Amino acid sequence: MAFGKQKTDENSFSGYKDVSGEFSNKMFQRAYWIVTHKIFLRNLLISALVFWCVISLGYSIFVWVKYFTVDYFEDEAMRAQQTIDLPDYTRIQAMYAAKKLKFSGTNIFKSAEDSYDFVTTVQNPNTRFLATVTYHYSYSGEKTATASAVILPKKENMLAVLGQKVDRAPSRGRLVIEHINWQRIRNHAIPDIEKHMEARLQFLVDDFDVVYTRAGSETVPTVEFSITNASYYSFWEPQFYIELLKGNNTAAVLPLFVNKFMSEETRTFELHPIMPIKNITNIRVLPNVNIFDTTTFME
C-alpha cells in the first residue's frame, strides 16, 4: 500500500468529463492525436503528392519518348495506307449516275411548201431516270424554236420540231441539246417501275391501212388506223408521234393529239400528209406522254 500523494499522468484522459454531452472522451483523444501528429501527417501528404507527381511525370515522359521514337512512324505509315485504301467515290457516283441518252441521226422531211420537219430518235437506257430534254435544231445559219421532250426510262421518243418555216431547203440539220434534266425515280415511291409503266402504256394499234387518192397530178395518201387505250387509266390529252415507214426507213413523222382518251376506249384516226408519200408499208406509234406526272391522268 502506498502512502502520500499519487503523481497524476498529464497525458491521461480518464479524468476528463464531458459536462456538455457534445464532446466525448474518445473524440477528445482523437483530436489530441491529430494535433500532436500534425507535422507527421503533413509530411506524409507531401510525400504522397511528390510520389504521385514523380510517377505521373515519369510515365508521361516515357509515353512521349515512345511516341516520337516508335508510334509516330507507325501512325504515318497507317495514314499513308488509309490514303491508298480510301474508296474512289467518283467511281461509285458514276455507277449510280444516269447513263447518257442514245441519239440517232437527224432526219429532215419536207412537210409542206416552205416547211420542214426536224426529227431525231432518242433512247433512254436508264431504268430509274426520267429525262427531260430541252433542244433546238440549227440549219443553214438559222435555228428552230426551242422545244422539250420527256424520255421515259428504258423507252424511246422523238425530239421533233415539225412544220419549221424556211426560206430555202436546209442542206443539213444539227441537233443542239440545251439542257437535260434528270429525275431519279425512288424505289420507295415506285418499287417495280417496269410494271408501273406497263400498266399505263397499253396503247394497241390496229386496222392499219393506206388509201391513195389523186390530187391533181399528185397521189396523196390517207393513213388509217385505230388505237385502243387498253389500260385502266384515262388520259386528258395524250400526244403521239406517228412514224410512217417505207420498209425499215422513216418516210415522215406526223403528230397526233387525242382529247380525253378514256380507259378501254378505241379511237379510229385518219391522217392526211400534205406531201405525196408513196409506198407506205407500216406505221409506228410512239406515245409522247409523261406517265410520272399525275396531271396527265383524269381522276
Side-chain angles (χ1 to χ4, degrees), residues 20-36:
S20 65
E22 297 179 356
F23 198 72
S24 65
N25 187 278
K26 184 176 290 187
M27 293 175 63
F28 183 72
Q29 292 182 31
R30 291 175 181 172
Y32 179 80
W33 187 90
I34 291 174
V35 171
T36 56

Side-chain angles (χ1 to χ4, degrees), residues 9 12 16 66 83 116 126 157 159 175 180 257 287 299:
D9 186 3
S12 175
Y16 172 75
K66 180 176 179 294
T83 304
Y116 284 82
N126 299 281
N157 202 354
L159 305 182
L175 174 65
I180 299 178
F257 296 88
E299 295 182 358

Side-chain angles (χ1 to χ4, degrees), residues 42-266:
R42 186 190 65 178
N43 293 336
L44 181 63
L45 177 61
I46 292 174
S47 299
L49 292 175
V50 170
F51 177 77
W52 174 255
C53 291
V54 170
I55 295 298
S56 300
L57 181 61
Y59 181 75
S60 299
I61 294 174
F62 168 76
V63 170
W64 279 107
V65 171
K66 180 176 179 294
Y67 175 76
F68 284 110
T69 57
V70 179
D71 295 344
Y72 173 78
F73 300 100
E74 292 181 354
D75 289 346
E76 289 298 313
M78 183 182 298
R79 188 178 296 109
Q81 186 64 34
Q82 288 177 342
T83 304
I84 295 173
D85 296 339
L86 191 66
D88 187 353
Y89 290 104
T90 58
R91 293 186 179 181
I92 296 176
Q93 289 175 351
M95 291 173 57
Y96 291 97
K99 298 177 183 178
K100 293 182 179 180
L101 298 174
K102 298 179 180 180
F103 300 91
S104 68
T106 297
N107 291 318
I108 303 176
F109 307 104
K110 187 174 183 179
S111 57
E113 291 297 331
D114 301 328
S115 294
Y116 284 82
D117 299 335
F118 296 80
V119 179
T120 302
T121 302
V122 57
Q123 292 180 335
N124 184 356
N126 299 281
T127 303
R128 287 200 164 270
F129 280 96
L130 179 74
T132 301
V133 183
T134 304
Y135 62 94
H136 70 268
Y137 287 92
S138 63
Y139 64 96
S140 304
E142 303 290 338
K143 72 174 186 177
T144 67
T146 298
S148 64
V150 173
I151 320 300
L152 301 178
K154 289 292 184 180
K155 293 296 181 181
E156 184 177 293
N157 202 354
M158 291 185 174
L159 305 182
V161 174
L162 306 179
Q164 177 69 30
K165 295 292 184 179
V166 297
D167 296 330
R168 61 182 184 276
S171 58
R172 57 179 299 182
R174 183 173 66 90
L175 174 65
V176 179
I177 302 298
E178 297 182 7
H179 180 68
I180 299 178
N181 180 46
W182 293 103
Q183 178 184 346
R184 184 177 180 86
I185 303 168
R186 303 293 179 182
N187 289 333
H188 68 272
I190 303 177
D192 194 331
I193 192 169
E194 185 175 349
K195 288 185 178 180
H196 179 88
M197 295 175 61
E198 183 180 354
R200 290 157 177 79
L201 294 175
Q202 295 190 30
F203 298 108
L204 307 180
V205 181
D206 201 0
D207 304 323
F208 166 72
D209 193 15
V210 181
V211 178
Y212 292 95
T213 57
R214 295 289 297 181
S217 60
E218 302 289 350
T219 300
V220 180
T222 298
V223 181
E224 301 175 351
F225 59 94
S226 65
I227 301 178
T228 300
N229 177 13
S231 73
Y232 293 109
Y233 299 88
S234 299
F235 295 78
W236 281 110
E237 191 178 24
Q239 178 186 359
F240 301 87
Y241 286 120
I242 311 301
E243 184 179 12
L244 307 184
L245 300 174
K246 289 183 179 181
N248 295 325
N249 298 320
T250 303
V253 174
L254 304 176
L256 176 65
F257 296 88
V258 183
N259 185 39
K260 294 182 180 180
F261 204 174
M262 307 303 293
S263 170
E264 300 183 341
E265 179 186 8
T266 299

